[in-house]
Amino acid sequence: MVYKVYGIYDITNDLAIETPSYIVNTKYNKRSGIVEYSRTSKSKGETVLNKVISGGIRLHINPVHPILLPICMTRHILVIIENPVSLAPGDIIEGYITIPVDIAVYVEEYNEAITLIDIFTEGKIKYTLYGPLEGGHLARYHRTRFYSQEPRTKPFTEALVRITISNRSTYWITLSKILIDCKHLKLYYDPPHNAYAQALEIVVTSRRHAKVIYSTPFKTAVIEAQRPPMFRFTKSYLTLHGTLMKWGV
Amino acid sequence: MGCIILNESFLERVVNQTITALMSINWLQIFWMIIFITAGISLAYLIRLLMRRTLIKVMEYTTLKAIEKIVFYALSTIVILLAISSAGIDISGIALAGGIIGIILGFATQTIIANLFAGLFLYWDKPFSIGDFIEVDNTLGYVIEISLLSTRIKTLDGVHVRLPNEKVFTAKIMNYSKHVARRLTFIASISYREDVQRACEVIRRVITEHPLVLVEPKPIVYVKELGDSGVNIEVYVWVPSRLWLEAYTDILWRIKKALTEEGIEIPFPQRDVWFRTPLEIRVNMKEFEGVTDIIRHTGLDQEYATEEA
């Protein structure tokens, strides 16, 4: 079954959007203008979320940064590469990895203001620690392979990322993990279920240190996903900052 | 009813002395003294504002507020003393009086000053911040305020506790929020007749699937000891410090549920009693046919006979 989930929906009509685990329903009351939003678990057969929306006209269902469940306690994702990449000094390699994504539901109001109303996941949530206990980062845990060609991603749980790894040290290095800061990461989607992030450049400077630089989108004709309120920032912040990996690559 | 009778000559003398005193004052010096004091206090106020703007990024607001007050009043006092001195008024008497008052106040406010310095040392040492979950002096809770004199904690049962900084500074402080992750330890006991390997696998599956158990540092599941009632399996898991309570209450429950679902018995305490000498128990069914037989069997019939005699 092919699920049509990511996209923008008119909620002045009743909706029933199905994902592998849930059914999202909206019921519009023409007289009061109120929309009843509900999300039902398919396996348990029970409604896990019920909300009343007033003044909304459109529903946005987008991929979202996977750090908001069960509560937001970090802004990092640690991607473990199952087939670590070894690079000769000065060498550069291009390829693809996947990162985890969750699903967010936003409602757009008449004045085009957008608010987040629901987040859920189709995958498994696991976190890990990158670095030492004191000063290290909690991060959402994800395992992926390094692909030399564009792979197929798991719908609703993964987003595709093109990465360029460059070894700027004077010795061989092996890259087995990548730390991504969601504050810098933009997500895109291609309806009905494909998700992407912007291209990443990983500059390895030593056997233990690397910098992750957030580049431009590598796909055309994709829609930029809405960002949760905590990840809205100015453009200068994006362009100035990268993520430093200082506790191992 | 008492009254004061003032004669004319006395009044004249007082008026004349006052006029002479006022005539001897250099009003220009007074004017400059007031200007100096006003300018000095304004400068002290500006320094206070400047401190607030620059140090707010690196210091707790309550501590900063206290420090800026101290700086402002100290500077203002120095300005006033300098102004009085420059006006030609001898301040040695004021200094002496100030010194004596200082000594008296020092003795009277010994505890307050000790708390104040402890507050400053706590600021430099930074063993905790506002919002941290700490245990100090047998008080467990969240830090809600750190001032120069005291630290306020909200305990888990909602009680507001004020601890003097002197006590906090000298006590053992356990900060559960200092690190991003925290280890939880559980003991799951299973019956001797159960398969320990299978029980460990069930526990590993539960903690692998649990969203709050971190992948790194790795969880550890091992047989800790062969206990009195069962085999004790110890479980070490690391969870986010912020969610340790949620993790603590959820993980053990899930382990118990999973073990029960797998049919693995969790034993209750048992004790086997061994007698030093073997016991012989003889049961003769005929002797239980009537009450008299039972009495005879227990020897009570002999006792009854003796009592009757």
Side-chain angles (χ1 to χ4, degrees):
Chain A
M1 181 176 183
V2 178
Y3 298 101
K4 293 180 179 176
V5 175
Y6 297 148
I8 302 168
Y9 302 88
D10 182 0
I11 49 173
T12 53
N13 298 312
D14 291 354
L15 288 174
I17 300 156
E18 202 174 340
T19 74
S21 309
Y22 298 99
I23 300 170
V24 171
N25 280 295
T26 61
K27 281 182 185 170
Y28 180 67
N29 187 323
K30 282 177 186 167
R31 193 174 292 171
S32 62
I34 284 173
V35 176
E36 280 183 43
Y37 173 89
S38 66
R39 177 161 55 86
T40 309
S41 166
K42 280 184 184 174
S43 58
K44 292 175 187 169
E46 60 186 38
T47 303
V48 288
L49 188 79
N50 220 326
K51 281 191 174 180
V52 175
I53 303 160
S54 176
I57 48 165
R58 291 199 294 184
L59 206 68
H60 293 246
I61 302 186
N62 288 187
V64 71
H65 306 83
I67 52 168
L68 303 167
L69 295 172
I71 64 160
C72 182
M73 54 187 167
T74 179
R75 58 184 222 208
H76 294 97
I77 304 168
L78 187 72
V79 178
I80 303 293
I81 301 172
E82 288 172 344
N83 50 343
V85 181
S86 291
L87 276 181
D91 206 3
I92 296 174
I93 188 173
E94 269 192 12
Y96 296 88
I97 58 165
T98 61
I99 60 166
V101 286
D102 292 335
I103 300 169
V105 182
Y106 301 84
V107 65
E108 186 184 340
E109 296 172 77
Y110 289 108
N111 57 2
E112 294 187 347
I114 284 182
T115 186
L116 178 69
I117 58 163
D118 190 14
I119 297 178
F120 57 97
T121 187
E122 290 290 337
K124 279 184 181 175
I125 301 169
K126 280 306 272 185
Y127 287 88
T128 189
L129 178 69
Y130 174 73
L133 276 175
E134 195 166 9
H137 299 302
L138 283 180
R140 173 79 181 253
Y141 181 80
H142 178 71
R143 295 183 75 87
T144 177
R145 288 186 66 78
F146 176 84
Y147 302 95
S148 53
Q149 290 188 336
E150 196 175 312
R152 286 188 67 177
T153 55
K154 291 177 194 163
F156 314 118
T157 60
E158 287 182 344
L160 188 67
V161 185
R162 190 170 76 192
I163 59 167
T164 308
I165 310 165
S166 58
N167 180 4
R168 293 201 188 154
S169 72
T170 52
Y171 29 77
W172 278 82
I173 59 97
T174 301
L175 186 81
S176 61
K177 60 185 94 166
I178 301 170
L179 184 74
I180 298 169
D181 188 343
C182 291
K183 195 114 186 169
H184 306 278
L185 190 73
K186 281 185 174 179
L187 293 175
Y188 303 87
Y189 66 92
D190 179 16
H193 55 67
N194 291 322
Y196 307 94
Q198 73 226 87
L200 300 180
E201 192 185 335
I202 294 107
V203 179
V204 185
T205 50
S206 76
R207 286 200 177 100
R208 288 187 60 77
H209 299 91
K211 189 168 186 181
V212 180
I213 298 163
Y214 302 83
S215 191
T216 48
F218 63 97
K219 284 271 181 188
T220 52
V222 287
I223 304 162
E224 186 174 345
Q226 299 292 333
R227 296 181 74 85
M230 56 286 258
F231 295 144
R232 287 176 191 155
F233 46 84
T234 57
K235 199 177 177 183
S236 59
Y237 188 88
L238 240 185
T239 49
L240 284 174
H241 295 74
T243 304
L244 191 67
M245 294 175 67
K246 50 185 177 181
W247 293 297
V249 296
Chain B
M1 184 181 166
C3 63
I4 298 166
I5 300 161
L6 299 170
N7 58 31
E8 205 173 316
S9 62
F10 176 76
L11 274 173
E12 269 178 20
R13 209 166 56 240
V14 170
V15 171
N16 288 337
Q17 278 179 359
T18 311
I19 290 166
T20 318
L22 285 172
M23 293 292 280
S24 66
I25 292 173
N26 186 343
W27 288 103
L28 189 67
Q29 271 188 337
I30 298 288
F31 173 75
W32 284 116
M33 192 175 82
I34 291 166
I35 294 289
F36 186 78
I37 289 172
T38 313
I41 290 176
S42 304
L43 187 69
Y45 189 72
L46 276 176
I47 290 170
R48 182 181 179 169
L49 287 181
L50 200 69
M51 275 179 73
R52 191 180 296 174
R53 284 196 175 184
T54 50
L55 297 179
I56 191 73
K57 294 165 194 164
V58 291
M59 205 180 265
E60 302 284 356
Y61 178 67
T62 45
T63 316
L64 176 62
K65 210 172 157 186
I67 291 174
E68 74 182 34
K69 258 185 194 174
I70 291 170
V71 171
F72 175 72
Y73 288 117
L75 285 175
S76 301
T77 311
I78 292 167
V79 164
I80 291 166
L81 288 175
L82 280 174
I84 292 170
S85 173
S86 66
I89 299 166
D90 184 18
I91 61 162
S92 58
I94 298 171
L96 184 68
I100 293 164
I101 291 168
I103 292 166
I104 295 165
L105 279 177
F107 277 111
T109 59
Q110 215 172 1
T111 321
I112 296 171
I113 289 167
N115 280 323
L116 187 89
F117 277 98
L120 286 174
F121 288 131
L122 278 176
Y123 166 70
W124 283 312
D125 193 31
K126 277 196 176 60
F128 50 77
S129 316
I130 288 175
D132 282 0
F133 185 65
I134 66 166
E135 185 178 355
V136 57
D137 197 33
N138 292 326
T139 307
L140 187 74
Y142 293 94
V143 180
I144 53 172
E145 190 185 336
I146 310 162
S147 70
L148 270 186
L149 296 179
S150 64
T151 299
R152 287 160 206 269
I153 293 171
K154 191 173 84 178
T155 62
L156 289 177
D157 49 352
V159 179
H160 181 104
V161 181
R162 178 193 173 276
L163 291 165
N165 278 342
E166 191 192 3
K167 207 166 196 175
V168 176
F169 189 68
T170 50
K172 183 174 89 173
I173 302 167
M174 291 167 79
N175 188 341
Y176 297 106
S177 305
K178 194 79 176 171
H179 297 155
V180 289
R182 194 177 151 190
R183 196 181 78 180
L184 295 181
T185 306
F186 303 102
I187 289 181
S189 189
I190 60 159
S191 173
Y192 274 102
R193 75 169 76 102
E194 299 295 347
D195 182 348
V196 177
Q197 194 178 343
R198 194 163 69 92
C200 286
E201 278 167 12
V202 170
I203 294 168
R204 278 196 198 99
R205 194 187 68 219
V206 170
I207 59 179
T208 305
E209 284 172 2
H210 200 284
L212 295 180
V213 175
L214 300 181
V215 178
E216 289 285 344
K218 284 189 172 58
I220 298 171
V221 180
Y222 73 105
V223 176
K224 190 190 180 191
E225 60 186 2
L226 303 176
D228 294 340
S229 312
V231 181
N232 292 339
I233 299 169
E234 192 154 58
V235 183
Y236 289 152
V237 293
W238 289 84
V239 298
S241 297
R242 272 179 64 192
L243 297 174
W244 75 272
L245 189 61
E246 289 83 347
Y248 187 81
T249 50
D250 194 43
I251 296 168
L252 195 57
W253 173 78
R254 287 199 193 197
I255 289 173
K256 158 76 177 72
K257 191 167 171 258
L259 288 174
T260 308
E261 279 171 3
E262 290 290 327
I264 296 169
E265 186 189 338
I266 298 171
F268 50 85
Q270 294 173 38
R271 190 169 293 274
D272 292 342
V273 179
W274 292 85
F275 290 93
R276 192 179 291 276
T277 51
L279 284 179
E280 279 187 26
I281 300 169
R282 292 178 190 164
V283 178
N284 188 342
M285 293 310 290
K286 284 182 181 175
E287 290 179 351
F288 287 93
E289 282 171 1
V291 177
T292 50
D293 288 339
I294 294 168
I295 291 170
R296 192 173 65 246
H297 171 73
T298 53
L300 284 172
D301 57 336
Q302 296 290 331
E303 284 180 32
Y304 292 150
T306 315
E307 278 176 17
E308 280 173 13

